[in-house]
Amino acid sequence: MNKPDETPVTVRLDGAAPRVDVAGLANTRRIMHVRHEGEGTVMPAFVPTPAWARLLERYCTGDGPVDGAGGRLSPTRVMQGLDRAIGRLMEVAAGDDARAGRPLAAGYVVESDLFDPAGGPVELRVVVDRETGVACVIAGMASDIAALDLPPLPSGS
């Protein structure tokens, strides 16, 4: 949620962020870790595996050279774009809270075409790993998030 030239912002959680087994979800390949660029990363990001598979299908298949003009992208390029996109979505959704020193909510919903070219709601679920206590964000469409069996978002998110 910080631009590269900004000082990192310390964020607090509102207490509603559920404690979940993030490592277990990753180790069983239910979520994929998104690589982070830069020092200003506020929290680790993940996407549900079906969302990652759709992104690979959308951007990495087809004719044309990999990473060439009009061609398909390498999975690494897709991951780098996903990292930046999730950062932008978090900035849109939670940036005002973080800058004002307000605690982050357990989740946010924003409109985006990130996971569906037609656009639609994207959930940004803030969770805390129950073993390490590290706050993370899991970004995806509601159907993909629901399959992770996370507690529902509080009303008004």
Side-chain angles (χ1 to χ4, degrees):
M1 291 182 347
N2 299 313
K3 293 182 176 42
D5 59 339
E6 292 180 351
T7 303
V9 174
T10 301
V11 297
R12 295 177 296 126
L13 303 179
D14 71 359
R19 290 191 167 270
V20 300
D21 184 6
V22 174
L25 290 171
N27 288 338
T28 57
R29 297 184 179 171
R30 294 180 68 199
I31 59 174
M32 302 294 292
H33 185 249
V34 177
R35 191 178 86 163
H36 301 295
E37 297 290 334
E39 296 296 319
T41 302
V42 173
M43 63 182 70
F46 296 84
V47 295
T49 301
W52 175 241
R54 281 192 302 277
L55 288 171
L56 290 179
E57 182 177 334
R58 183 173 165 190
Y59 293 109
C60 300
T61 59
D63 297 330
V66 174
D67 293 337
R72 52 200 164 99
L73 299 175
S74 69
T76 299
R77 291 273 309 269
V78 174
M79 184 65 75
Q80 291 167 342
L82 180 59
D83 179 35
R84 288 188 301 273
I86 291 173
R88 285 191 301 269
L89 292 177
M90 282 297 292
E91 172 62 29
V92 166
D96 288 343
D97 288 342
R99 283 187 295 279
R102 293 187 297 267
L104 295 185
Y108 300 88
V109 177
V110 295
E111 291 292 320
S112 174
D113 64 354
L114 178 60
F115 297 110
D116 181 347
V122 171
E123 289 189 16
L124 301 164
R125 301 296 298 274
V126 179
V127 299
V128 176
D129 181 68
R130 74 171 65 127
E131 293 297 318
T132 64
V134 173
C136 307
V137 61
I138 302 174
M141 296 184 330
S143 59
D144 293 335
I145 298 290
L148 299 175
D149 300 319
L150 300 177
L153 280 173
S155 55
S157 294

